Amino acid sequence: MLKTIRDCLDRLKASLFWGWLLKIQELILFITSCVMIGILGAVVICRYVLRVDLFGYDEIVMISAFWMYFIGSSYAMEKHEHVRADILERILPPKGKKALRIFASLLQSLVAIETLNLSVAYIVNGVKIWPTTSAWGLPLMTSMSAVTVGFVVMAFYVVVQFLEEITTPLPDAAAEKGEL
């Protein structure tokens, strides 16, 4: 059973879907970073060189920042570069480390699923009231949807990591000590 799950996970991670998902995230991160740098550069030039104010730039920066932060969080989750507090894991024996990682992955999965539910409710409420920005009248759904998309992708990665954790065998004692 565990081998079957592991084989499915390996096929998933080698699939075009997985690769395209990462490429789309990288593209979104690149575009949003460029937009933010461009707008903030234009604000500096307008304000300090041309002595004029760039009207409503903060609304576009907000939308771009939401997409950058939430897609960046999901990308970091896939790359295992998210913030972790693994102090206890460092002092435990291999079986204790494994049990702690499984528990932490399970807890992360449960939290990710709950935040996913909350973010869907956030979007549903946003569709009902359809808020807009004050200066340009841009729909706030453009930034609100970043929250839900980010949590969907994060929840996906967290559940995959949990399944990987429970299907990864314990290393043998020689490998753990670095004798191989």
Side-chain angles (χ1 to χ4, degrees), residues 100-110 158 161-162 165:
L100 182 63
R101 284 195 304 265
I102 288 173
F103 175 73
S105 290
L106 175 63
L107 192 59
Q108 278 183 316
S109 296
L110 294 173
V158 166
Q161 290 172 4
F162 171 67
E165 198 61 57

Side-chain angles (χ1 to χ4, degrees), residues 8-28:
C8 288
L9 292 173
D10 290 341
R11 282 196 307 273
L12 173 64
K13 291 183 90 170
S15 71
L16 284 175
F17 169 75
W18 193 275
W20 277 102
L21 184 58
L22 286 174
K23 290 295 180 195
I24 290 169
Q25 288 175 288
E26 289 169 352
L27 181 64
I28 290 171

Side-chain angles (χ1 to χ4, degrees), residues 76-150:
M77 187 65 69
E78 193 280 335
K79 297 295 183 187
H80 297 276
E81 295 174 354
H82 54 288
V83 176
R84 289 181 45 156
D86 59 355
I87 297 166
L88 184 58
E89 186 179 321
R90 295 183 184 276
I91 61 173
L92 292 173
K95 285 184 180 181
K97 288 179 184 181
K98 176 83 172 160
L100 182 63
R101 284 195 304 265
I102 288 173
F103 175 73
S105 290
L106 175 63
L107 192 59
Q108 278 183 316
S109 296
L110 294 173
V111 169
I113 290 167
E114 182 55 29
T115 55
L116 174 62
N117 288 333
L118 291 172
S119 69
V120 169
Y122 180 58
I123 285 291
V124 168
N125 186 52
V127 169
K128 287 179 186 175
I129 61 174
W130 201 259
T132 58
T133 61
S134 57
W136 294 100
L138 301 171
L140 285 178
M141 290 301 295
T142 54
S143 59
M144 293 169 73
S145 60
V147 176
T148 301
V149 170

Side-chain angles (χ1 to χ4, degrees), residues 42-48 50-58:
V43 167
V44 168
I45 290 170
C46 287
R47 186 171 290 163
Y48 299 109
L50 303 175
R51 303 278 185 215
V52 295
D53 197 17
L54 193 58
F55 178 73
Y57 74 91
D58 53 331

